[in-house]
Amino acid sequence: MLVGDIMHADVKTASTGDSFADVAKMMRTNGISSVVVLDRKKLAGIVTERDIVNLVAAGGDPNGTTVEHGMTRRDLVTVTSKTELSDAAAEMVSKNIRHLPVVDGDEVVGIVSIRDMTRWAAEELSGGHELPDIAGSHAALQAASQLQRKRGSDAATG
C-alpha cells in the first residue's frame, strides 16, 4: 500500500506569518493535530500540538508569536505519495514523529498521520478483504505501538 492511497489531500495550511493562536484555532475547528506551513506555496515547516505546548510552556505568547519562530523545520521529514506505507511508518518511528507531509516534487499534495495508518490497518484487517495487506497493516500498527511507547516514556521522564 502506498502513502498516496490513504493520505489526506485536503491539507490545512498556514503561512509563516500566522500566529500560533490562529493555527491552534484551525486545529480545533478541523479536529486535526498538525498544520503544514507554506512560504509562498513552498513547504516551510509543520506546526504540531507539541510545538504549541512547547511555546506555551516556555512562556511564549501564542497570539504574538508567528509560526515561523516555533514551527518544526529542521530535519523536516517528508514522503512522496509513492512511498510504501511500511517505509513511512518506519521513518515515523525512527524520527519519533506522528505526521508526515506528502510532497511530489516541490508541491505539498497531502499529509498522513500515524492515526491514519492505524485506521487503515484496522479496516484492512477487519474489512473482509479477500487478500488483506497483512505486512503493511502489521508495519502500521507496530509503528503506532512504538510511537505510543516512546511518548509514554518521554512523558514519564519529562
Side-chain angles (χ1 to χ4, degrees):
M1 181 67 62
L2 302 177
V3 168
D5 295 327
I6 71 162
M7 72 179 189
H8 291 277
D10 180 24
V11 181
K12 301 304 179 203
T13 64
S15 70
T16 55
D18 290 342
S19 73
F20 270 85
D22 293 334
V23 171
K25 289 172 190 169
M26 184 184 310
M27 287 178 180
R28 184 183 63 203
T29 299
N30 292 286
I32 56 176
S33 55
S34 67
V35 172
V36 171
V37 181
L38 301 178
D39 185 10
R40 296 187 186 101
K41 297 189 178 187
K42 184 176 169 130
L43 180 62
I46 188 168
V47 175
T48 66
E49 291 173 328
R50 179 181 276 188
D51 295 325
I52 296 169
V53 168
N54 288 341
L55 172 75
V56 172
D61 174 15
N63 289 302
T65 304
T66 61
V67 297
E68 181 175 32
H69 293 99
M71 67 184 175
T72 301
R73 77 173 115 210
R74 275 189 320 239
D75 302 322
L76 183 63
V77 179
T78 63
V79 293
T80 72
S81 60
K82 303 289 186 208
T83 302
E84 287 287 337
L85 220 50
S86 57
D87 293 336
E91 190 69 15
M92 292 169 108
V93 170
S94 74
K95 304 290 190 203
N96 195 26
I97 56 176
R98 301 177 68 84
H99 306 90
L100 285 173
V102 182
V103 296
D104 285 336
D106 286 339
E107 184 180 354
V108 176
V109 296
I111 191 161
V112 66
S113 71
I114 198 66
R115 183 184 314 156
D116 298 328
M117 290 184 186
T118 303
R119 189 175 300 130
W120 167 80
E123 158 62 23
E124 186 71 11
L125 294 174
S126 66
H129 299 284
E130 190 170 312
L131 295 171
D133 183 350
I134 294 172
S137 299
H138 174 74
L141 294 172
Q142 186 176 26
S145 176
Q146 288 175 334
L147 284 170
Q148 187 62 37
R149 280 196 300 270
K150 280 184 177 183
R151 298 292 170 161
S153 67
D154 287 351
T157 58

